[in-house]
Amino acid sequence: MYTSENEIVTGWVKKDGSIEIAKLNISNNNKEFETIYPQLEVDDHDNPAFAVLSDGNLLTMYAWHSTEKGVISNTTNDGSNIHTFQENTIFKPKTEKLLEEFPRETYTYANPYVLKAENNKVFSLGRWIGFKPNLIISSDNAKTWNEKYVVISNEPFDANNRPYAKYYSDGNSKIHMIYTNGHPRNEPLNSVYYCYYENRAFWRADGTKISELENLPFNVEDGSLVYQASNTTGRAWIADIAVKDGKPYILYSRHPEETDHRYFYAWYNAETKSWNDYEICKAGKWFPQTPEGETEREPHYMGNMTVNPNKPNEIYVSREVNNVFEIEKYTTPNEGGTWEITPVTQNSEHDNVRPYIPRYQMSNAKTVVLWMENKKYIHYTDFDSRIKYIIED
């Protein structure tokens, strides 16, 4: 999402597969919409991400789900005016050398960031070559990409293993990253790790170097271990990350059973060089609506949660309440030790899932929370959802 003092720009995949961009004016509640790719693909993995380029225009990037078609980018030519997105550009962030070393080519996700401390270079991360987290870098506002890397891989290489990652950037010099061993469906001991990029290298939470760009990739276990999965405590999945005053705050789930999803809040204690890790609540089971007589294909799809980047003592969660997923606000007065709960939705007809707070709002901005309301969600290729939001003072 893109945010300014009074505007939020976001986007999604409509139920017909079209990519739609939306702009919300926080001060007057005005909403604008623009379709930038009609009927791309009915798959909610294809939703767009945004960055503000050095010339003030918006960059959006997105991709098909696990195809060889490539990554799509587009920019406005009039700042945050979403009606001025130009022609979509499709490209494949690969090199023959990378493909030879990591022989699998599929493109999913794209997460662009601009780092002011590196001459406003554009960094984009996604799951591309090798089925692994990749990084590409542009020095000309995303017109061309002159550096391409596989960031994380296993030894020996496994083309079916795919670490899942989420990112957060300060917009200046750092891109923070949390990731897992792989998909919890495939990894019985799926753990959570953290690292950050800065100054052409990746670093652990304690500031020790993992790898310079030229020596990538690094192994999954080379990052800072946040949570070590076990057969008792359950495999994990990641939800969100934000950083405030240099301290990373991480939201993730543990799954002791596929019908028992539990939410956790972890933050890095620089004094002890360890992670303080607290259970938030039990969240219920998966949210997809499993057809009668069928086995759920995505039993680890939790309702999900998000942390407020400006006030990381505030999080918003989606959990199962009376067989319906509801949004709740959780506030901690003691960095995760205890939580005060305020309902956001109650007695809902439809499930409310995947809450998200936009990044990069001003420190005194009103809190905006968006989420999906699912009239139907059978699978990520079969859904009928709409985006709802609240604006808090």
Side-chain angles (χ1 to χ4, degrees):
M1 293 185 183
Y2 154 79
T3 60
S4 68
E5 184 174 1
N6 290 311
E7 294 178 336
I8 289 174
V9 174
T10 186
W12 46 71
V13 184
K14 299 177 70 173
K15 66 180 180 179
D16 71 349
S18 297
I19 305 300
E20 185 170 62
I21 308 298
K23 181 162 73 171
L24 170 65
N25 187 307
I26 301 171
S27 60
N28 61 19
N29 225 24
N30 183 57
K31 294 177 281 290
E32 301 176 44
F33 304 92
E34 183 71 33
T35 296
I36 64 168
Y37 201 124
Q39 298 181 339
L40 173 73
E41 178 184 43
V42 181
D43 193 312
D44 73 6
H45 290 67
D46 302 357
N47 59 290
F50 301 86
V52 184
L53 299 172
S54 58
D55 60 8
N57 288 325
L58 296 185
L59 165 69
T60 185
M61 298 183 72
Y62 51 103
W64 291 269
H65 182 197
S66 288
T67 77
E68 295 186 20
K69 295 179 180 179
V71 176
I72 305 167
S73 69
N74 201 331
T75 60
T76 61
N77 60 18
D78 184 19
S80 66
N81 183 348
I82 66 171
H83 307 296
T84 67
F85 276 104
Q86 302 170 77
E87 291 295 318
N88 291 298
T89 298
I90 301 171
F91 67 102
K92 295 185 178 183
K94 65 178 180 178
T95 67
E96 293 307 313
K97 181 179 178 182
L98 284 178
L99 271 175
E100 182 179 348
E101 189 173 357
F102 308 99
R104 181 165 181 175
E105 181 184 4
T106 63
Y107 301 100
T108 307
Y109 312 127
N111 298 271
Y113 302 95
V114 175
L115 294 185
K116 294 178 182 177
E118 296 203 28
N119 297 316
N120 290 306
K121 288 181 180 179
V122 183
F123 295 70
S124 188
L125 298 111
R127 189 177 74 211
W128 305 325
I129 303 305
F131 215 32
K132 305 291 188 289
N134 284 208
L135 167 65
I136 55 176
I137 304 174
S138 171
S139 300
D140 58 5
N141 275 344
K143 295 181 180 66
T144 61
W145 302 89
N146 53 311
E147 297 185 63
K148 304 176 181 69
Y149 305 95
V150 172
V151 177
I152 303 172
S153 188
N154 44 4
E155 186 72 32
F157 172 71
D158 179 355
N160 293 314
N161 169 259
R162 59 193 193 276
Y164 276 75
K166 284 185 176 288
Y167 311 95
Y168 177 87
S169 176
D170 62 4
N172 182 41
S173 66
K174 291 185 174 72
I175 300 172
H176 302 265
M177 176 177 177
I178 54 174
Y179 62 92
T180 63
N181 297 84
H183 195 297
R185 185 176 56 239
N186 306 122
E187 307 291 339
L189 297 181
N190 209 40
S191 299
V192 178
Y193 301 86
Y194 163 85
C195 66
Y196 66 91
Y197 166 87
E198 186 176 37
N199 192 25
R200 299 193 63 80
F202 283 85
W203 310 80
R204 299 180 185 90
D206 64 4
T208 57
K209 185 183 292 186
I210 302 172
S211 174
E212 297 179 351
L213 288 185
E214 290 72 18
N215 296 322
L216 290 173
F218 59 84
N219 291 321
V220 167
E221 294 82 5
D222 289 339
S224 297
L225 178 65
V226 179
Y227 164 65
Q228 176 62 62
S230 71
N231 290 326
T232 302
T233 56
R235 64 195 77 188
W237 220 351
I238 48 177
D240 201 7
I241 176 175
V243 179
K244 179 73 171 178
D245 299 326
K247 184 187 295 184
Y249 294 86
I250 293 170
L251 301 181
Y252 73 96
S253 61
R254 299 183 190 178
H255 305 250
E257 303 288 343
E258 291 180 341
T259 54
D260 181 11
H261 299 181
R262 302 187 184 192
Y263 291 162
F264 282 78
Y265 176 90
W267 53 272
Y268 185 68
N269 188 325
E271 293 183 1
T272 63
K273 294 187 177 181
S274 62
W275 294 89
N276 289 28
D277 196 358
Y278 301 94
E279 182 169 339
I280 304 165
C281 64
K282 294 182 178 180
K285 64 178 190 309
W286 60 79
F287 75 80
Q289 300 153 354
T290 314
E292 187 174 353
E294 296 186 14
T295 300
E296 176 53 45
R297 287 178 282 179
E298 298 293 348
H300 304 98
Y301 271 25
M302 55 186 164
N304 225 306
M305 50 190 158
T306 186
V307 60
N308 188 337
N310 288 333
K311 294 179 282 187
N313 65 312
E314 291 182 358
I315 66 173
Y316 290 77
V317 312
S318 167
R319 71 180 185 94
E320 199 173 19
V321 180
N322 298 323
N323 297 314
V324 177
F325 281 84
E326 304 282 11
I327 305 296
E328 296 174 333
K329 177 182 178 181
Y330 280 61
T331 307
T332 177
N334 48 21
E335 295 195 290
T338 59
W339 297 91
E340 301 167 1
I341 306 170
T342 304
V344 176
T345 65
Q346 296 183 82
N347 304 313
S348 299
E349 179 182 359
H350 303 299
D351 289 332
N352 303 277
V353 301
R354 294 176 173 171
Y356 190 74
I357 297 174
R359 318 285 92 161
Y360 313 117
Q361 288 188 278
M362 297 180 65
S363 59
N364 60 350
K366 295 180 179 180
T367 299
V368 180
V369 187
L370 303 98
W371 68 89
M372 288 171 55
E373 181 190 68
N374 292 337
K375 183 177 180 181
K376 178 181 74 169
Y377 194 105
I378 307 299
H379 188 246
Y380 56 75
T381 59
D382 185 6
F383 54 86
D384 185 358
S385 305
R386 62 178 179 172
I387 304 300
K388 302 188 74 173
Y389 68 94
I390 58 167
I391 301 175
E392 291 196 341
D393 292 327

Short mmCIF file of all heavy atoms in Angstrom, two decimals, residues 10 33 40 56 73 78 115 117 150 163 168 173 194 222 237 245 248 268 279 300-301 303-304 318 326 328 351 363:
data_model
loop_
_atom_site.label_atom_id
_atom_site.label_comp_id
_atom_site.label_asym_id
_atom_site.label_seq_id
_atom_site.Cartn_x
_atom_site.Cartn_y
_atom_site.Cartn_z
N THR A 10 -4.28 1.31 -2.51
CA THR A 10 -4.15 -0.13 -2.33
C THR A 10 -4.74 -0.83 -3.55
O THR A 10 -5.17 -0.18 -4.52
CB THR A 10 -4.82 -0.59 -1.03
OG1 THR A 10 -4.55 -1.97 -0.81
CG2 THR A 10 -6.33 -0.37 -1.07
N PHE A 33 -11.47 4.31 -7.98
CA PHE A 33 -11.10 2.96 -8.41
C PHE A 33 -10.60 3.00 -9.85
O PHE A 33 -11.08 3.79 -10.66
CB PHE A 33 -12.29 2.00 -8.29
CG PHE A 33 -12.88 1.94 -6.92
CD1 PHE A 33 -13.93 2.76 -6.56
CD2 PHE A 33 -12.38 1.05 -5.97
CE1 PHE A 33 -14.48 2.72 -5.28
CE2 PHE A 33 -12.92 0.99 -4.70
CZ PHE A 33 -13.97 1.82 -4.35
N LEU A 40 -6.85 -10.70 -15.30
CA LEU A 40 -5.51 -11.27 -15.31
C LEU A 40 -5.56 -12.76 -15.01
O LEU A 40 -5.08 -13.59 -15.78
CB LEU A 40 -4.63 -10.57 -14.28
CG LEU A 40 -3.24 -11.17 -14.06
CD1 LEU A 40 -2.33 -10.87 -15.23
CD2 LEU A 40 -2.62 -10.66 -12.75
N GLY A 56 8.19 10.96 -7.36
CA GLY A 56 6.86 11.16 -6.80
C GLY A 56 5.78 10.31 -7.41
O GLY A 56 4.65 10.28 -6.90
N SER A 73 4.92 -4.74 -13.95
CA SER A 73 5.11 -3.46 -13.26
C SER A 73 4.39 -2.37 -14.04
O SER A 73 4.12 -2.50 -15.25
CB SER A 73 6.59 -3.12 -13.12
OG SER A 73 7.17 -2.83 -14.38
N ASP A 78 1.50 10.91 -12.93
CA ASP A 78 0.99 12.10 -12.24
C ASP A 78 0.84 11.79 -10.75
O ASP A 78 -0.25 11.78 -10.20
CB ASP A 78 -0.35 12.53 -12.84
CG ASP A 78 -0.88 13.83 -12.21
OD1 ASP A 78 -0.08 14.57 -11.60
OD2 ASP A 78 -2.10 14.08 -12.30
N LEU A 115 14.93 2.79 -1.31
CA LEU A 115 15.84 3.13 -0.21
C LEU A 115 16.54 4.44 -0.52
O LEU A 115 17.37 4.51 -1.44
CB LEU A 115 16.85 2.01 0.02
CG LEU A 115 16.29 0.68 0.51
CD1 LEU A 115 17.41 -0.31 0.82
CD2 LEU A 115 15.40 0.85 1.74
N ALA A 117 18.78 6.02 1.20
CA ALA A 117 20.21 6.00 1.50
C ALA A 117 21.04 5.37 0.39
O ALA A 117 22.27 5.50 0.40
CB ALA A 117 20.46 5.26 2.82
N VAL A 150 19.20 -14.75 -5.94
CA VAL A 150 18.43 -15.64 -5.08
C VAL A 150 18.92 -15.39 -3.66
O VAL A 150 20.13 -15.48 -3.39
CB VAL A 150 18.63 -17.12 -5.47
CG1 VAL A 150 17.97 -18.04 -4.44
CG2 VAL A 150 18.05 -17.38 -6.85
N PRO A 163 10.62 -21.23 0.97
CA PRO A 163 10.46 -20.39 2.16
C PRO A 163 9.46 -19.27 1.89
O PRO A 163 9.46 -18.66 0.81
CB PRO A 163 11.86 -19.82 2.38
CG PRO A 163 12.77 -20.80 1.71
CD PRO A 163 12.01 -21.30 0.51
N TYR A 168 9.35 -5.55 5.52
CA TYR A 168 9.02 -4.20 6.01
C TYR A 168 10.26 -3.34 5.82
O TYR A 168 11.37 -3.75 6.15
CB TYR A 168 8.64 -4.24 7.49
CG TYR A 168 8.36 -2.88 8.08
CD1 TYR A 168 7.09 -2.33 8.00
CD2 TYR A 168 9.36 -2.13 8.70
CE1 TYR A 168 6.81 -1.08 8.53
CE2 TYR A 168 9.09 -0.87 9.23
CZ TYR A 168 7.83 -0.36 9.13
OH TYR A 168 7.55 0.90 9.66
N SER A 173 17.29 2.92 4.67
CA SER A 173 18.44 2.07 4.42
C SER A 173 18.17 0.59 4.62
O SER A 173 18.97 -0.24 4.19
CB SER A 173 19.61 2.47 5.33
OG SER A 173 19.29 2.21 6.70
N TYR A 194 14.36 -14.29 11.19
CA TYR A 194 14.38 -12.85 10.90
C TYR A 194 15.76 -12.45 10.38
O TYR A 194 16.79 -13.00 10.80
CB TYR A 194 14.07 -12.05 12.16
CG TYR A 194 14.46 -10.58 12.06
CD1 TYR A 194 13.60 -9.64 11.51
CD2 TYR A 194 15.71 -10.14 12.52
CE1 TYR A 194 13.97 -8.31 11.39
CE2 TYR A 194 16.08 -8.81 12.41
CZ TYR A 194 15.21 -7.90 11.85
OH TYR A 194 15.58 -6.57 11.73
N ASP A 222 20.57 -19.58 8.68
CA ASP A 222 21.56 -18.54 8.93
C ASP A 222 20.96 -17.28 9.52
O ASP A 222 21.68 -16.43 10.06
CB ASP A 222 22.29 -18.18 7.63
CG ASP A 222 23.23 -19.29 7.17
OD1 ASP A 222 23.62 -20.12 8.01
OD2 ASP A 222 23.55 -19.32 5.97
N TRP A 237 3.51 -20.23 10.82
CA TRP A 237 3.41 -19.42 9.61
C TRP A 237 3.50 -17.97 10.03
O TRP A 237 3.23 -17.64 11.19
CB TRP A 237 2.12 -19.71 8.85
CG TRP A 237 2.35 -19.72 7.35
CD1 TRP A 237 3.48 -19.36 6.70
CD2 TRP A 237 1.44 -20.14 6.34
NE1 TRP A 237 3.34 -19.53 5.34
CE2 TRP A 237 2.11 -20.00 5.09
CE3 TRP A 237 0.13 -20.61 6.36
CZ2 TRP A 237 1.50 -20.31 3.88
CZ3 TRP A 237 -0.47 -20.92 5.15
CH2 TRP A 237 0.21 -20.77 3.92
N ASP A 245 11.53 2.34 16.29
CA ASP A 245 12.73 2.71 17.06
C ASP A 245 13.78 1.61 17.01
O ASP A 245 14.44 1.31 18.01
CB ASP A 245 12.35 3.04 18.51
CG ASP A 245 11.39 4.21 18.62
OD1 ASP A 245 11.50 5.14 17.79
OD2 ASP A 245 10.53 4.20 19.52
N PRO A 248 12.35 -4.77 15.98
CA PRO A 248 11.39 -5.52 15.16
C PRO A 248 10.28 -6.13 16.01
O PRO A 248 10.55 -6.70 17.08
CB PRO A 248 12.25 -6.63 14.53
CG PRO A 248 13.67 -6.25 14.81
CD PRO A 248 13.65 -5.43 16.04
N TYR A 268 12.32 -8.18 19.45
CA TYR A 268 13.72 -8.44 19.72
C TYR A 268 14.21 -7.58 20.87
O TYR A 268 14.09 -6.35 20.85
CB TYR A 268 14.58 -8.19 18.49
CG TYR A 268 16.02 -8.58 18.71
CD1 TYR A 268 16.37 -9.92 18.86
CD2 TYR A 268 17.03 -7.62 18.79
CE1 TYR A 268 17.69 -10.29 19.08
CE2 TYR A 268 18.34 -7.98 19.00
CZ TYR A 268 18.67 -9.32 19.15
OH TYR A 268 19.98 -9.69 19.38
N GLU A 279 2.14 -15.58 23.65
CA GLU A 279 0.90 -15.99 23.00
C GLU A 279 -0.14 -14.89 23.15
O GLU A 279 -0.33 -14.33 24.24
CB GLU A 279 0.38 -17.30 23.59
CG GLU A 279 -0.89 -17.79 22.89
CD GLU A 279 -1.31 -19.20 23.27
OE1 GLU A 279 -0.43 -19.97 23.74
OE2 GLU A 279 -2.49 -19.55 23.07
N HIS A 300 -3.93 -24.38 6.87
CA HIS A 300 -3.14 -23.43 7.65
C HIS A 300 -3.51 -21.98 7.33
O HIS A 300 -2.82 -21.06 7.80
CB HIS A 300 -1.65 -23.67 7.40
CG HIS A 300 -1.23 -25.08 7.70
ND1 HIS A 300 -1.09 -26.03 6.71
CD2 HIS A 300 -0.97 -25.70 8.88
CE1 HIS A 300 -0.73 -27.18 7.27
NE2 HIS A 300 -0.66 -27.01 8.58
N TYR A 301 -4.56 -21.77 6.54
CA TYR A 301 -5.01 -20.41 6.24
C TYR A 301 -5.72 -19.84 7.47
O TYR A 301 -6.92 -19.98 7.64
CB TYR A 301 -5.94 -20.40 5.03
CG TYR A 301 -5.24 -20.26 3.69
CD1 TYR A 301 -3.91 -20.64 3.52
CD2 TYR A 301 -5.91 -19.75 2.60
CE1 TYR A 301 -3.28 -20.52 2.30
CE2 TYR A 301 -5.30 -19.62 1.36
CZ TYR A 301 -3.97 -20.00 1.22
OH TYR A 301 -3.34 -19.88 0.01
N GLY A 303 -7.06 -16.77 10.09
CA GLY A 303 -7.75 -15.51 9.87
C GLY A 303 -6.79 -14.36 9.66
O GLY A 303 -7.07 -13.40 8.97
N ASN A 304 -5.61 -14.45 10.31
CA ASN A 304 -4.49 -13.54 10.15
C ASN A 304 -4.58 -12.31 11.06
O ASN A 304 -5.58 -12.10 11.75
CB ASN A 304 -4.29 -13.12 8.70
CG ASN A 304 -2.82 -13.19 8.31
OD1 ASN A 304 -1.96 -12.61 8.96
ND2 ASN A 304 -2.52 -13.92 7.25
N SER A 318 -7.91 -11.49 13.30
CA SER A 318 -9.13 -12.16 12.88
C SER A 318 -9.12 -13.54 13.52
O SER A 318 -8.19 -14.31 13.32
CB SER A 318 -9.17 -12.29 11.35
OG SER A 318 -10.19 -13.20 10.95
N GLU A 326 -14.17 -12.92 13.22
CA GLU A 326 -14.41 -11.53 13.57
C GLU A 326 -13.07 -10.79 13.72
O GLU A 326 -12.05 -11.39 14.03
CB GLU A 326 -15.19 -11.41 14.88
CG GLU A 326 -16.52 -12.15 14.91
CD GLU A 326 -17.64 -11.43 14.18
OE1 GLU A 326 -17.37 -10.44 13.45
OE2 GLU A 326 -18.81 -11.85 14.32
N GLU A 328 -10.83 -8.13 15.81
CA GLU A 328 -10.70 -7.58 17.15
C GLU A 328 -9.41 -6.79 17.26
O GLU A 328 -8.40 -7.14 16.64
CB GLU A 328 -10.70 -8.69 18.21
CG GLU A 328 -11.99 -9.48 18.29
CD GLU A 328 -11.90 -10.66 19.24
OE1 GLU A 328 -10.76 -11.18 19.44
OE2 GLU A 328 -12.94 -11.05 19.78
N ASP A 351 -17.55 -14.13 7.20
CA ASP A 351 -16.23 -14.11 7.81
C ASP A 351 -15.49 -12.82 7.47
O ASP A 351 -15.53 -12.33 6.34
CB ASP A 351 -15.40 -15.30 7.32
CG ASP A 351 -15.89 -16.63 7.87
OD1 ASP A 351 -16.46 -16.64 8.97
OD2 ASP A 351 -15.68 -17.66 7.20
N SER A 363 3.29 9.69 11.79
CA SER A 363 3.20 9.19 13.17
C SER A 363 1.92 9.63 13.88
O SER A 363 1.43 8.93 14.76
CB SER A 363 4.42 9.65 13.97
OG SER A 363 4.50 11.07 13.99
#
